[in-house]
């Protein structure tokens, strides 16, 4: 079993309270924000499933099993940038390689904490029957995050390639189940990484969705007809399209403002901008927080969210990965949970919006990819992309077996 981070000399492993804090850390605007109504809300009455679908959740994790440690504070940061720094720290636990120096005693403690956490978020592999039993007679719809879910987190975000084995597993599973990738990357970039034309893609945290043509969406604002790479007619849904010039402007400002910070990398994800600090010395994280804040303080219609060693600048609109799941289910004709079981697999804070939609709709399962305990709206967990691949393969075997049995 992997060990949790050493808490003797660092500060970043937080638990439930810190995850909640992350949400509250987003810069708030008192300006009028563009708010889009959900074009295709899941009807709760169609989402209801029997209580037998709910996984075991009787065990709760004792607070003292989480490691909490003091956070570093910058001397000259203004308060909002300091909040940003807190979120950067709490969303970026130390890498596994830095945890390997833990001594045996601490490893034992952290193993206990991880095992206890698994009682609340059981492994999707160990609980495979609990997931597939309610899916009998239904179609499984699969939603997959990319970074940290299908690909390992790497130092250079431009090199977050998925393995050929993983690509084959995704291709295979998509033959049996409608499958969509929902990523914070630009849609073009994530398509470039995945390279499978049979999938549906949503980039920029769901703010750029390419899906099949549906007549019912023709009158939908922000939905336009386009063609995909194969020349097939598709619908493009881009609820933040009016923000494009602003995002480009902020991207250029962030490039300029962070160019002297060694290791900082700014990525234009079309409808959002990512500032990666994975390669920035930890003592300079305060500078990253301040520089990012210095730029976006001039843009009240933009906000910050936090991922694993990345700060993301996004439009303040009522749209997220959860809304994207709802939209895709509707546009794929899969919104009736009497017939469909959606499964969403992701590792990041932004994936919580999708987990929440499935949990609150009592429709389908979120699966959190994490090797450290953290509070989540997911029902199940997988430790790393390798386990995600095993889970995808298991789904294919299950489908083939159940099809044969029904013949
Ligand atoms: Mg991710």
């Amino acid at each position: 079993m992997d060990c949790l981070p050493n808490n003797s000399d660092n500060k970043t492993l937080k638990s439930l309270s810190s995850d909640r804090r992350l949400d509250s850390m987003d810069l708030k605007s008192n300006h009028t924000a563009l708010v889009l109504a959900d074009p295709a809300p899941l009807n709760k009455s169609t989402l209801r499933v029997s209580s037998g679908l709910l996984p075991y959740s009787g065990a709760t994790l004792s607070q003292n099993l989480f490691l909490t440690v003091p956070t570093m504070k910058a001397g000259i940061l203004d308060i909002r940038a300091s909040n940003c720094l807190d979120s950067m720290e709490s969303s970026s636990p130390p890498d596994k390689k830095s945890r390997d120096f833990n001594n045996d005693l601490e490893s034992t403690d952290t193993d206990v904490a991880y095992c206890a956490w698994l009682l609340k978020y059981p492994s999707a592999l160990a609980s495979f029957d609990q997931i597939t039993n309610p899916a009998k007679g239904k179609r499984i719809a699969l939603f997959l995050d990319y970074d940290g879910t299908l690909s390992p987190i790497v130092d250079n975000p431009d090199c977050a390639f998925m393995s050929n084995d993983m690509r084959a597993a995704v291709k295979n599973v998509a033959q049996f189940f409608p499958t969509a990738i929902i990523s914070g990357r630009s849609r073009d970039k994530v398509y470039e990484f995945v390279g499978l034309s049979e999938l549906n893609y949503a980039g920029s945290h769901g703010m750029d969705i390419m899906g099949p043509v549906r007549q019912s969406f023709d009158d939908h604002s922000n939905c336009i007809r386009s063609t995909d790479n194969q020349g097939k007619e598709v619908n493009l849904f881009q609820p933040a399209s009016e923000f494009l010039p602003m995002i480009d402007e902020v991207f250029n400002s962030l490039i300029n403002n962070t160019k002297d910070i060694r290791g900082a990398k700014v990525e234009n994800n079309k409808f959002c901008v990512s500032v990666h600090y994975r390669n920035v010395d930890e003592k300079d994280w305060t500078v990253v927080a301040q520089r990012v804040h210095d730029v976006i303080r001039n843009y009240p219609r933009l906000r910050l969210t936090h991922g694993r060693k990345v700060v993301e600048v996004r439009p303040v609109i009522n749209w997220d990965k959860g809304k994207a799941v709802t939209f895709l289910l509707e546009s794929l004709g899969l919104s009736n949970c009497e017939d469909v079981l959606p499964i969403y697999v992701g590792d990041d804070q932004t994936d919580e919006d999708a987990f929440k939609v499935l949990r609150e709709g009592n429709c389908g399962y979120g699966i959190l990819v994490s090797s450290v305990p953290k509070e989540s709206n997911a029902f199940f967990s997988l430790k790393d992309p390798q386990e995600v691949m095993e889970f995808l393969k298991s789904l294919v075997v299950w489908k083939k077996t159940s099809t044969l049995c029904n013949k």
Side-chain angles (χ1 to χ4, degrees):
M1 180 184 298
D2 286 332
C3 302
L4 288 172
N6 181 354
N7 69 337
S8 62
D9 60 358
N10 60 47
K11 56 198 172 299
T12 52
L13 182 61
K14 305 284 177 68
S15 64
L16 186 156
S17 58
S18 65
D19 281 335
R20 285 204 191 107
R21 200 157 56 95
L22 270 181
D23 288 333
S24 66
M25 290 303 171
D26 293 345
L27 294 183
K28 300 294 191 297
S29 163
N30 56 4
H31 294 241
T32 304
L34 173 65
V35 177
L36 295 181
D38 179 357
L42 285 174
N43 183 333
K44 294 241 168 148
S45 66
T46 65
L47 298 179
R48 193 161 294 116
V49 292
S50 71
S51 58
L53 188 145
L54 296 173
Y56 169 73
S57 59
T60 55
L61 183 56
S62 164
Q63 281 279 349
N64 61 14
L65 287 172
F66 286 107
L67 306 175
T68 55
V69 281
T71 56
M72 174 178 68
K73 284 288 184 292
I76 55 168
L77 277 181
D78 72 38
I79 184 67
R80 285 170 296 181
S82 177
N83 287 346
C84 175
L85 176 66
D86 284 346
S87 295
M88 288 166 65
E89 292 168 348
S90 59
S91 59
S92 305
D95 293 334
K96 184 175 179 299
K97 60 189 174 189
S98 67
R99 303 202 301 266
D100 290 338
F101 298 105
N102 295 347
N103 64 39
D104 291 345
L105 251 181
E106 284 161 343
S107 295
T108 303
D109 286 347
T110 53
D111 285 355
V112 169
Y114 187 75
C115 289
W117 181 77
L118 280 177
L119 293 176
K120 190 172 182 185
Y121 303 99
S123 161
L125 291 171
S127 312
F128 192 73
D129 289 347
Q130 271 183 272
I131 296 172
T132 49
N133 283 341
K136 284 173 183 164
K138 295 184 177 186
R139 291 186 78 190
I140 288 178
L142 205 50
F143 298 92
L144 304 168
D145 170 47
Y146 181 74
D147 289 273
T149 298
L150 299 181
S151 73
I153 299 290
V154 293
D155 285 346
N156 183 352
D158 288 336
C159 297
F161 305 114
M162 65 195 290
S163 67
N164 288 334
D165 286 348
M166 179 66 92
R167 185 171 294 101
V170 174
K171 185 180 175 70
N172 217 7
V173 84
Q175 291 179 357
F176 296 95
F177 312 106
T179 303
I181 306 289
I182 302 185
S183 170
R185 304 270 198 158
S186 75
R187 183 169 46 77
D188 288 344
K189 188 70 168 277
V190 77
Y191 178 80
E192 209 174 284
F193 278 132
V194 178
L196 297 171
S197 59
E198 51 269 62
L199 312 183
N200 294 287
Y201 290 87
S204 309
H205 298 294
M207 289 182 283
D208 187 9
I209 301 177
M210 181 180 279
V213 168
R214 294 267 288 180
Q215 298 295 338
S216 55
F217 287 99
D218 278 357
D219 295 331
H220 201 294
S221 59
N222 297 310
C223 200
I224 57 169
R225 290 284 178 96
S226 184
T227 52
D228 66 10
N229 292 345
Q230 283 71 46
K232 190 174 77 181
E233 200 174 22
V234 292
N235 269 346
L236 261 189
F237 182 66
Q238 298 176 331
S241 52
E242 69 166 290
F243 286 86
L244 271 180
M246 189 186 292
I247 291 290
D248 284 342
E249 196 175 287
V250 165
F251 170 67
N252 290 326
S253 297
L254 285 170
I255 290 266
N256 203 39
N257 270 31
T258 60
K259 65 186 176 191
D260 62 331
I261 305 175
R262 189 172 179 177
K265 181 174 175 60
V266 183
E267 183 180 14
N268 189 338
N269 290 317
K270 194 162 183 172
F271 295 103
C272 54
V273 180
S274 299
V275 181
H276 299 272
Y277 54 93
R278 173 163 296 274
N279 297 321
V280 175
D281 193 308
E282 203 166 329
K283 69 179 170 44
D284 293 330
W285 288 10
T286 52
V287 185
V288 175
Q290 186 66 60
R291 298 286 177 81
V292 170
H293 179 65
D294 287 347
V295 171
I296 80 149
R297 73 198 318 165
N298 300 317
Y299 296 90
R301 296 179 73 204
L302 299 178
R303 66 185 177 117
L304 291 184
T305 58
H306 298 267
R308 289 163 68 177
K309 294 187 180 169
V310 61
V311 179
E312 293 180 300
V313 181
R314 300 165 61 170
V316 179
I317 63 168
N318 184 19
W319 197 265
D320 52 38
K321 287 185 171 183
K323 295 281 197 307
V325 166
T326 304
F327 182 89
L328 274 163
L329 283 169
E330 184 72 24
S331 59
L332 294 167
L334 299 170
S335 58
N336 185 351
C337 278
E338 296 298 319
D339 305 319
V340 177
L341 185 80
I343 295 175
Y344 187 105
V345 190
D347 73 313
D348 237 324
Q349 186 65 25
T350 56
D351 297 311
E352 291 294 329
D353 295 317
F355 297 153
K356 200 171 172 189
V357 162
L358 300 186
R359 180 180 279 272
E360 291 184 349
N362 204 12
C363 169
Y365 297 127
I367 300 175
L368 174 67
V369 182
S370 180
S371 60
V372 297
K374 55 183 178 183
E375 196 65 18
S376 174
N377 285 299
F379 278 116
F380 296 99
S381 67
L382 290 166
K383 197 166 63 174
D384 50 30
Q386 183 65 32
E387 285 201 356
V388 173
M389 186 165 71
E390 286 177 42
F391 179 73
L392 299 181
K393 288 178 175 176
S394 298
L395 280 177
V396 170
V397 171
W398 169 79
K399 182 67 179 175
K400 284 179 173 172
T401 309
S402 56
T403 303
L404 275 177
C405 290
N406 290 334
K407 277 188 177 174

